[in-house]
Amino acid sequence: MVRSAMAAALVTSLLGIAFLLPESHGILQSRDSQNIQVHNGYWATTVGGAVAAPASVPYLVTWSANTKRQYALIALMNIGTFDLTKGVIAFTSAKSNGDTSNPPTLIFESCSGSWNVTSNLCSGTIKILGSATGGQFHVNQSIAANNRLVLRVTNLRDVNANYVTTFNAQTSRSDFRAAQVFSS
Amino acid sequence: MKAKNASHHLRMVATSVFAGSLILVAGTSVFAGLNATVSASQVDSAGTLILSTANNGAGFSQAISNLAPGDVVNRYVTLTNGGTLGSQSLGLSIASTGSSTLITDGIAPATNKALTVTVLSCTGGTWNTATGVCSGTTNTEIAETSLSAFTAQKVFSVSPALAAGATSTLQIRTKLPDQNETTVNGVLPAVTVQNESVTLSYLFNQAQLAGATTNS
C-alpha cells in the first residue's frame, strides 16, 4: 500500500517532467498508406457435348462395333479469363474390357460456320485439323474467353468391338498470350 | 515496531511527493523562464513532417486484374514531403492479405511464385505513365522483392532523403513471375496462383533529419 503510494508519486512527478520537455527530444516520422487489390486471371477449358454446359469431368464417346463411319461433335469450352490461342485435348480409347490395343484413328475437324448437331454437317467450310489414335491433340484455333469451339470427331474405322474414347481438356500457360507490360 | 515502520513509510511517501512536486515546480519554472525569454525576443515554432501520396495516372486508385504469369503492371505515384523539415530514411513496407500463393513462394513440390514489387524513381524528368519511360534518370529505389519479404520496411537506396516541400515520383512495378500450371477439365491445381487475390497495403514512411545545432 505504502510502496504503491510512493510509486504513484514518483510516476506523477516523472510524467510531469515528460510533458514539460520540448518535443525535439523525439524523432518525427510521417507515414502515408495506400491499398490496392491484385487479382490473377485463370486459364481453363472443359470438353463436352456440342451444346452441353461446361462440366469438370472427362467426356466419353462410345463407338459402336461394326459401323463404318461414325461422328461425334465435341465442344472445347474456354471457361477461363484469357482468350486462348489454342486448345489441347488428351484422349485414349479402350474396349469395354479395358484393352487399349489397336485403337481407332480419330479425325478432328472444325467448321467455319456451325455444325448441325443432328446431321453432323457443317454450314460453311470444313477444316481438317488432324488425326490421331490417342495422346495429346493440339487444336490450333483460338477460343475466346467464355466461348466454345465445336469439333467434329470422325471414326472411319470399322471396329469390331465397342470402343470408348475418353477426352480430357488440358490448358497450360503456353496456350494464351505472352506476358505483357501494362502501364497506366 | 510496526508503528515505527509505518511512520518511516509515510515519511518516504511524503518525501517522494515533495520531491516530485519540487521537480515539477522547478521544471515549470525553468521552462517558463526559457519561454519567457524566447517570447520576449523571437518566435519559435516546431517543424512539421508531412508525407503524402498522390496518384499519377491510375496509381493506387484502380485494382489490378486478370494478371497472367510474366505480366508486369506499372503504376505511378508521387510522394511529397509537405512539411517544413527535411526527411531521411524514406522507405516502404507492404502488408499483404489474401491468397498465400501470391504472398509467399511455394516450397517443393509446390512451384508457385509470389507477386513481386519493384520501386523505381525518376529524377530530372517525369514518367510517361502510358509508356513507362522516364524522361530523366531512372533509379532503382527498391529492387524486385517478393511480397513476403516486404513486411519489413525497405529504405530507398538512391534517394532516401526528401527536402521540405520536395517530391519523389515513383513507378511501382507489380509482377507475377513467369510460371506454368496445367488445368485439366477446368480444375485448377491444388496449389495455384490462378484466380487468386491479394490486397497490398503500401506504407510509405520517412523520418526527420537528425537535429542540428544552429548558431546565429
Side-chain angles (χ1 to χ4, degrees):
Chain A
M1 182 69 178
V2 174
R3 286 182 179 169
S4 299
M6 289 168 60
L10 284 171
V11 167
T12 304
S13 303
L14 291 172
L15 280 174
I17 294 168
F19 281 116
L20 287 169
L21 287 174
E23 285 187 6
S24 58
H25 285 247
I27 296 294
L28 291 178
Q29 296 203 23
S30 181
R31 297 175 173 177
D32 193 30
S33 181
Q34 301 287 334
N35 293 342
I36 191 167
Q37 190 182 53
V38 181
H39 187 88
N40 288 353
Y42 63 104
W43 48 99
T45 53
T46 63
V47 61
V51 295
S56 298
V57 292
Y59 184 60
L60 308 182
V61 172
T62 300
W63 309 106
S64 302
N66 304 315
T67 306
K68 288 208 171 188
R69 181 184 287 264
Q70 298 178 66
Y71 299 106
L73 293 179
I74 64 172
L76 194 55
M77 293 167 264
N78 179 358
I79 62 170
T81 58
F82 299 104
D83 294 340
L84 300 177
T85 54
K86 65 178 181 180
V88 176
I89 299 172
F91 69 98
T92 58
S93 297
K95 295 177 184 175
S96 55
N97 62 2
D99 179 10
T100 57
S101 63
N102 202 23
T105 298
L106 303 182
I107 301 169
F108 293 83
E109 299 165 308
S110 64
C111 172
S112 64
S114 59
W115 292 103
N116 183 312
V117 295
T118 306
S119 65
N120 297 316
L121 296 176
C122 171
S123 63
T125 303
I126 292 175
K127 181 180 180 183
I128 298 174
L129 303 177
S131 62
T133 58
Q136 285 189 334
F137 185 80
H138 292 258
V139 181
N140 292 314
Q141 294 217 347
S142 60
I143 313 172
N146 297 313
N147 276 273
R148 65 177 63 202
L149 175 66
V150 179
L151 303 174
R152 186 171 73 176
V153 182
T154 305
N155 180 359
L156 290 174
R157 191 163 151 218
D158 182 11
V159 291
N160 59 4
N162 290 340
Y163 272 86
V164 173
T165 300
T166 302
F167 295 96
N168 288 288
Q170 297 180 347
T171 317
S172 54
R173 177 64 186 90
S174 58
D175 295 339
F176 62 100
R177 66 166 175 78
Q180 294 181 341
V181 176
F182 302 93
S183 198
S184 60
Chain B
M1 187 64 180
K2 282 182 181 176
K4 188 176 181 181
N5 277 343
S7 172
H8 174 69
H9 288 310
L10 282 172
R11 274 200 307 276
M12 288 183 68
V13 171
T15 304
S16 299
V17 171
F18 181 68
S21 303
L22 277 179
I23 294 169
L24 273 171
V25 170
T28 307
S29 301
V30 168
F31 288 112
L34 287 175
N35 288 337
T37 303
V38 167
S39 63
S41 59
Q42 67 185 72
V43 175
D44 275 5
S45 60
T48 58
L49 198 62
I50 304 170
L51 182 65
S52 62
T53 311
N55 293 325
N56 178 14
F60 295 127
S61 67
Q62 291 178 12
I64 296 171
S65 61
N66 212 28
L67 213 54
D71 281 354
V72 174
V73 176
N74 294 328
R75 295 292 176 82
Y76 303 86
V77 295
T78 301
L79 300 182
T80 301
N81 178 7
T84 59
L85 298 173
S87 73
Q88 61 179 348
S89 303
L90 181 61
L92 169 69
S93 62
I94 303 174
S96 305
T97 54
S99 171
S100 61
T101 57
L102 301 188
I103 299 172
T104 308
D105 288 347
I107 298 172
T111 58
N112 64 289
K113 296 173 186 169
L115 290 169
T116 64
V117 171
T118 308
V119 179
L120 307 172
S121 67
C122 178
T123 52
T126 57
W127 289 107
N128 182 323
T129 59
T131 63
V133 175
C134 163
S135 61
T137 303
T138 303
N139 312 294
T140 301
E141 299 291 358
I142 299 176
E144 183 175 1
T145 304
S146 69
L147 292 184
S148 60
F150 246 118
T151 51
Q153 176 176 280
K154 296 191 174 300
V155 175
F156 288 10
S157 60
V158 179
S159 307
L162 270 183
T167 60
S168 178
T169 54
L170 304 178
Q171 180 191 67
I172 310 291
R173 184 178 289 179
T174 306
K175 180 181 181 181
L176 178 62
D178 196 22
Q179 54 200 302
N180 189 28
E181 294 178 2
T182 299
T183 59
V184 178
N185 296 325
V187 179
L188 304 180
V191 177
T192 181
V193 296
Q194 297 185 62
N195 205 26
E196 299 288 346
S197 295
V198 65
T199 298
L200 312 184
S201 295
Y202 287 83
L203 182 63
F204 293 97
N205 184 67
Q206 66 177 2
Q208 72 170 82
L209 286 172
T213 302
T214 304
N215 296 309
S216 59

